[in-house]
């Protein structure tokens, strides 16, 4: 079956522009997570959606970051007024609600010039 | 402050030998621990997990050991194979289905 997919795979943008990153989770997975990995760092949690509950936004680094999940499936991570320090690989993962194993997509490499 | 620490950024092992990857954590509320493997340009792939009620979990060549009193876990790979060369991330969570806290990773190189 299909795994987690993300688009685009690479995104180069200019400082100050807005970007949208998309995640398609595994069908039937109710939990969806966004992480990012900056150069030389581990994966940093950003936000997580679980079913119809309010998302856990505790990892978002600033109010320039937001995410939504429509219809309990596809999610979009939006970064407004991008800064150079936003450059990273943004990873999406999904899981069945009661299990902890998270399945990751290939990531979107964001470069802010 | 890092809650999950992988103090060795890299490890080199010969094919057929044992690889031991270590991970320390500071949050005593962590209940579930996982290891992920990551190849370049790919997302992390789940490898093996252990809950806090156990001290060992084995799956083929991979065994994870948990020492709760020391807040330490380790991943043993035996025998190591060249295809095991990748970055290994240790991760933990306070309960199932919540966000994972990751270490910075250890790059394993297995030479033939």
């Amino acid at each position: 079956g299909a795994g987690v997919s993300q688009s685009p795979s690479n995104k180069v943008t200019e400082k100050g522009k807005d970007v949208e990153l998309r995640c398609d989770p595994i069908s039937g997975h109710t939990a969806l997570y966004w992480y990012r990995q900056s150069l030389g760092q581990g994966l940093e949690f950003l936000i997580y959606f679980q079913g119809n509950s309010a998302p856990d936004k505790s990892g978002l680094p600033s109010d320039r970051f937001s995410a939504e999940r429509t219809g309990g499936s596809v999610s979009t991570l939006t970064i407004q007024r991008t800064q150079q320090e936003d450059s990273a690989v943004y990873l999406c993962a999904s899981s069945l609600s009661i299990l902890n194993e998270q399945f990751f997509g290939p990531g979107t490499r964001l470069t802010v010039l | 402050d890092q809650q999950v620490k992988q103090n060795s950024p890299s490890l080199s092992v010969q094919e057929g030998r044992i690889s031991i990857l270590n991970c320390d954590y500071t949050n005593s509320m962590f209940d579930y621990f996982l290891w992920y493997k990551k190849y370049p340009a790919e997302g992390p792939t789940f490898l093996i997990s252990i809950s806090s009620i156990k001290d060992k979990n084995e799956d083929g060549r991979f065994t994870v050991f948990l020492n709760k009193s020391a807040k330490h876990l380790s991943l043993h790979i035996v025998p190591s194979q060249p295809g095991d060369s990748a970055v290994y991330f240790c991760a933990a969570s306070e309960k199932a289905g919540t966000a994972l806290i990751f270490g910075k990773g250890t790059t394993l190189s297995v030479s033939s």
Side-chain angles (χ1 to χ4, degrees):
Chain A
V4 178
S5 61
Q6 292 185 246
S7 60
S9 54
N10 278 285
K11 176 72 176 178
V12 180
T13 191
E14 291 180 346
K15 177 181 170 180
K17 302 275 190 181
D18 297 352
V19 295
E20 283 190 354
L21 312 179
R22 177 187 167 108
C23 172
D24 285 85
I26 293 172
S27 177
H29 281 193
T30 58
L32 186 147
Y33 311 79
W34 283 98
Y35 297 86
R36 74 175 174 182
Q37 185 179 18
S38 303
L39 191 63
Q41 301 297 312
L43 280 73
E44 174 191 4
F45 164 70
L46 298 176
I47 186 170
Y48 127 74
F49 298 87
Q50 173 56 61
N52 295 322
S53 304
D56 177 353
K57 304 180 183 179
S58 60
L60 294 179
S62 78
D63 58 9
R64 295 186 296 104
F65 287 73
S66 62
E68 61 178 26
R69 188 178 185 194
T70 53
S73 181
V74 172
S75 176
T76 303
L77 177 69
T78 301
I79 309 173
Q80 295 178 310
R81 305 182 302 282
T82 52
Q83 303 294 312
Q84 287 183 331
E85 62 262 28
D86 299 334
S87 297
V89 176
Y90 288 81
L91 290 151
C92 175
S94 69
S95 72
L96 290 172
S97 61
I98 59 171
L99 300 179
N100 216 37
E101 179 184 338
Q102 295 178 19
F103 295 85
F104 283 82
T108 294
R109 180 174 294 279
L110 175 66
T111 303
V112 182
L113 301 176
Chain B
D1 185 33
Q2 270 194 287
Q3 296 188 67
V4 178
K5 299 178 185 179
Q6 293 178 257
N7 292 318
S8 298
S10 63
L11 175 67
S12 295
V13 171
Q14 281 193 318
E15 181 178 10
R17 300 286 186 117
I18 186 171
S19 295
I20 300 176
L21 298 123
N22 293 303
C23 178
D24 297 292
Y25 61 95
T26 57
N27 186 346
S28 58
M29 299 297 291
F30 283 148
D31 193 47
Y32 204 77
F33 304 88
L34 307 90
W35 284 94
Y36 280 82
K37 175 169 128 175
K38 186 180 185 300
Y39 293 117
E42 294 183 11
T45 302
F46 171 74
L47 202 53
I48 193 168
S49 64
I50 189 167
S51 75
S52 60
I53 62 173
K54 292 188 171 183
D55 55 18
K56 177 182 173 181
N57 189 26
E58 190 172 353
D59 183 3
R61 297 185 298 113
F62 302 92
T63 303
V64 56
F65 295 93
L66 175 62
N67 182 334
K68 289 185 288 293
S69 61
K71 293 193 178 71
H72 177 84
L73 65 155
S74 61
L75 174 68
H76 292 209
I77 307 172
V78 57
S80 301
Q81 300 173 355
D84 296 329
S85 298
V87 179
Y88 288 77
F89 290 99
C90 171
S93 71
E94 290 191 15
K95 62 178 183 178
T98 60
L100 296 174
I101 308 298
F102 283 83
K104 291 190 177 183
T106 297
T107 300
L108 174 65
S109 300
V110 181
S111 57
S112 54

